[in-house]
């Protein structure tokens, strides 16, 4: 685990995605928009998947299950099986991206390498998007670390706590809540 990788906050995420979608100029050089990379990062931030797993996705990877969609997959890094519900909005986003780019349902959505994604991210690592996902799930679900552990497929709660760096913050909060000076 890269200790320097930090979770990005929602504002930073939105800024990075907008910059990737719109392009930008820096030191007299114009950088073209790159919707493909932006879409990979949107999926990482919203599903908590690793980039390597996202690059293997096809529209057909999303299986309709009643009124919902789910992903059935094996993680490349761990070989662990994952089966989870995907928000309809995320599925629609993927489907619309594929349609707009003429990608058939059985073709890979992103026929690029992980290295191609990483070269676009000099300041923040791609893993920051996965950590952002984990941190948001943790904060938005009553600090349920077990839920985050399950979603990330970590082997233990301790690994998840280290991953999102919550140990010291929770200790500080517990001490602060206990202050009674009079």
């Amino acid at each position: 685990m890269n200790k320097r990788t930090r979770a990005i906050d929602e504002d930073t995420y939105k800024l990075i995605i907008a910059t990737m979608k719109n392009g930008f100029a820096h030191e007299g050089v114009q950088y073209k928009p790159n919707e493909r990379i932006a879409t990979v990062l949107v999926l990482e931030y919203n599903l908590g998947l690793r980039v390597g797993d996202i690059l293997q996705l096809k529209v057909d990877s999303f299986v309709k299950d009643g009124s919902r969609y789910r992903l059935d997959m094996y993680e490349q890094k761990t070989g662990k099986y994952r089966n989870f519900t995907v928000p309809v909005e995320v599925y629609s986003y993927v489907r619309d991206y594929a349609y707009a780019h003429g990608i058939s349902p059985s073709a890979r959505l992103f026929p690029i390498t992980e290295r191609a994604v990483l070269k676009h991210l000099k300041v923040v690592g791609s893993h920051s998007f996965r950590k952002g996902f984990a941190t948001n799930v943790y904060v938005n679900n009553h600090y349920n670390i077990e839920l985050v552990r399950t979603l990330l497929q970590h082997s233990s709660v301790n690994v998840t706590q280290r991953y999102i760096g919550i140990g010291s913050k929770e200790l500080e909060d517990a001490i602060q809540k206990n202050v009674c000076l009079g």
Side-chain angles (χ1 to χ4, degrees):
M1 176 173 55
N2 181 351
K3 298 285 187 197
R4 295 183 317 181
T5 301
R6 64 175 179 83
I8 61 170
D9 59 52
E10 188 172 331
D11 291 338
T12 304
Y13 160 73
K14 288 178 178 179
L15 176 63
I16 291 170
I17 298 305
T19 301
M20 294 303 282
K21 286 184 173 183
N22 299 318
F24 62 98
H26 179 68
E27 296 180 355
V29 178
Q30 185 65 39
Y31 293 88
K32 295 179 185 176
N34 195 322
E35 189 175 1
R36 177 187 292 169
I37 301 298
T39 303
V40 168
L41 299 175
V42 165
L43 292 178
E44 187 176 11
Y45 188 80
N46 284 278
L47 298 178
L49 297 173
R50 292 178 184 89
V51 171
D53 294 325
I54 291 168
L55 296 180
Q56 302 307 311
L57 292 176
K58 305 170 183 176
V59 174
D60 284 351
S61 300
F62 297 83
V63 178
K64 188 158 178 61
D65 185 8
S67 62
R68 306 176 307 171
Y69 289 88
R70 63 181 164 72
L71 271 176
D72 289 319
M73 60 184 290
Y74 286 91
E75 294 181 333
Q76 278 187 325
K77 180 179 178 183
T78 64
K80 292 179 183 176
Y81 174 72
R82 284 192 72 177
N83 175 330
F84 63 98
T85 301
V86 174
V88 172
E89 299 88 346
V90 173
Y91 168 75
S92 296
Y93 183 84
V94 168
R95 183 199 60 216
D96 294 348
Y97 169 83
Y99 180 77
H101 293 87
I103 301 168
S104 75
S106 60
R108 281 182 42 209
L109 288 163
F110 313 104
I112 56 175
T113 64
E114 193 168 338
R115 181 177 227 157
V117 174
L118 299 178
K119 85 172 200 180
H120 289 12
L121 300 171
K122 304 273 187 225
V123 177
V124 61
S126 72
H127 215 61
S128 294
F129 291 81
R130 180 171 156 89
K131 283 190 172 192
F133 166 83
T135 302
N136 287 342
V137 168
Y138 178 70
V139 170
N140 294 328
N141 290 280
H142 308 289
Y143 304 95
N144 184 340
I145 194 68
E146 179 61 25
L147 174 66
V148 178
R149 186 205 65 77
T150 301
L151 287 170
L152 296 180
Q153 299 274 92
H154 285 163
S155 58
S156 73
V157 167
N158 290 341
V159 170
T160 305
Q161 287 174 320
R162 282 193 317 271
Y163 186 80
I164 61 176
I166 60 163
S168 60
K169 174 69 172 132
E170 284 187 328
L171 292 174
E172 289 174 21
D173 289 349
I175 292 169
Q176 184 62 46
K177 287 177 184 176
N178 197 50
V179 171
C180 180
L181 301 176

